[in-house]
Amino acid sequence: MNQPLVWMNGHFVEYGSAKVSVEDRGFQFCDGIYEVVRAVEGRFYGFQQHLERMRRSLHSVEIEVLMSDSEFQGIADQMLAESHERDATLYVQITRGAAPRSHVIPREITPTIIMILRSFHPVDESVHSNGIKVIAVKDERWARCDIKLTGLLPNILAREKARRAGVDDAIFVREGWVAEGTSTNVFAVCNDVLVTPLADHRILRGITRDAVLTLARERKVNTAERDLSISDLKAAPEVFLTSTTMEVLPVVEIDHLPVGTGQVGPMTKRLLGGYRDVLHGRAAGESNAR
Ligand code: PDD
């Protein structure tokens, strides 16, 4: 695909000429939400779960969208077919729409709905085989991180802080408790239990997080969704991150100290392999959301 495909407010638009108004509330207030869905081997993975989360985000910010799930699915499928891509990401963004700037939500406003489909280029395989280094950063975000809001500036600044510290990413910590990565969820192995923070208002409930939890349970791994302290995270023999684009990403260093032996651990390897089987439709079971 030479250029990403763009669908905007009911029409396919040339990538270079797809434009939104200067008065779009997404631009002025970050008054909007988004989703990132992945297509693997010519099919979207977990489309329904992404739609459900998108509806939850829309409901939380009180943006009303009249398009049905099957309309979203139909356009996404059409974009994927037209792109001839086997591996792609679909970015869906919905803002409240355009209106003269005001803190008051206008009564009559039409949401701006954008879908961008682009080819997916995974990170080099060495990233998954060697693992990544992270730092812990103070979580200064708002109290509704469960909403997939376009306002990602704290995440971007945390990522930049990590880059300056010579590492790959950052993990948000709120009052000593681990929240999530800048664009990932966090897992740790603690006393042979796979632990991940509870999906409450403090984190985004990742589609990959849920798939990995299901996969682990299917494989008789003990799991727990509970508060995880930063000291427990640092003492854990294995830590990994999950997301749509990064799958299961091993962490081998936190704040310049090795995680476990400093090598990718066996549980992480197993779950990365298992998750990839699910993603590529090679596995049966509940975790298969294709
Ligand atoms: N990010 N937490 C945050 C803050 C995220 O932004 C994401 C996803 C996740 C993982 O969610 P999922 O497994 O559904 O991808 C957790 C996307 C990929 C992004 O912003 O590009």
Side-chain angles (χ1 to χ4, degrees), residues 28-72:
Q28 292 181 342
F29 294 113
C30 293
D31 187 354
I33 60 94
Y34 75 104
E35 277 297 325
V36 179
V37 194
R38 195 163 150 199
V40 181
E41 294 178 26
R43 284 172 70 195
F44 286 108
Y45 173 78
F47 202 87
Q48 195 53 40
Q49 286 98 314
H50 282 279
L51 275 180
E52 280 165 20
R53 185 172 65 186
M54 188 180 87
R55 297 283 181 200
R56 286 201 300 275
S57 295
L58 287 169
H59 179 77
S60 300
V61 298
E62 298 176 27
I63 293 178
E64 197 188 346
V65 168
L66 299 178
M67 254 171 83
S68 67
D69 285 1
S70 56
E71 282 175 285
F72 276 107

Side-chain angles (χ1 to χ4, degrees), residues 95-280:
T95 74
R96 199 175 303 275
R101 187 179 183 279
S102 165
H103 285 69
V104 180
I105 295 177
R107 292 302 98 199
E108 296 291 322
I109 188 161
T110 309
T112 306
I113 308 178
I114 293 166
M115 294 166 82
I116 305 173
L117 186 111
R118 60 178 85 237
S119 46
F120 177 68
H121 302 287
V123 290
D124 194 89
E125 193 47 34
S126 62
V127 175
H128 283 89
S129 45
N130 298 335
I132 64 157
K133 300 174 180 177
V134 303
I135 51 167
V137 297
K138 192 171 173 204
D139 194 351
E140 290 174 328
R141 298 174 301 161
W142 74 329
R144 289 302 308 275
C145 296
D146 54 316
I147 305 171
K148 204 160 170 54
L149 211 64
T150 56
L152 290 174
L153 189 56
N155 308 54
I156 287 162
L157 293 177
R159 189 68 179 258
E160 181 60 16
K161 198 169 178 181
R163 194 187 64 78
R164 291 202 184 132
V167 301
D168 306 292
D169 209 344
I171 288 178
F172 285 119
V173 179
R174 204 182 283 239
E175 287 160 8
W177 302 108
V178 172
E180 58 187 337
T182 59
S183 59
T184 52
N185 291 114
V186 179
F187 285 76
V189 177
C190 303
N191 301 320
D192 289 327
V193 178
L194 184 66
V195 179
T196 194
L198 200 72
D200 58 17
H201 63 280
R202 294 173 292 182
I203 66 162
L204 183 80
R205 182 173 163 189
I207 307 301
T208 322
R209 170 193 181 277
D210 285 4
V212 167
L213 276 175
T214 306
L215 181 72
R217 287 170 191 148
E218 280 173 2
R219 296 183 172 210
K220 311 284 180 241
V221 173
N222 288 324
T223 62
E225 295 173 74
R226 62 160 171 84
D227 283 348
L228 176 64
S229 70
I230 182 65
S231 45
D232 281 353
L233 190 79
K234 288 184 177 179
E238 294 187 44
V239 172
F240 62 82
L241 308 176
T242 61
S243 81
T244 297
T245 49
M246 300 308 289
E247 305 168 350
V248 171
L249 184 61
V251 173
V252 292
E253 198 184 287
I254 303 173
D255 285 343
H256 308 290
L257 292 169
V259 172
T261 60
Q263 309 282 314
V264 179
M267 171 92 79
T268 308
K269 280 187 190 158
R270 249 175 91 201
L271 291 172
L272 171 60
Y275 179 70
R276 283 183 168 165
D277 284 345
V278 172
L279 201 58
H280 291 266

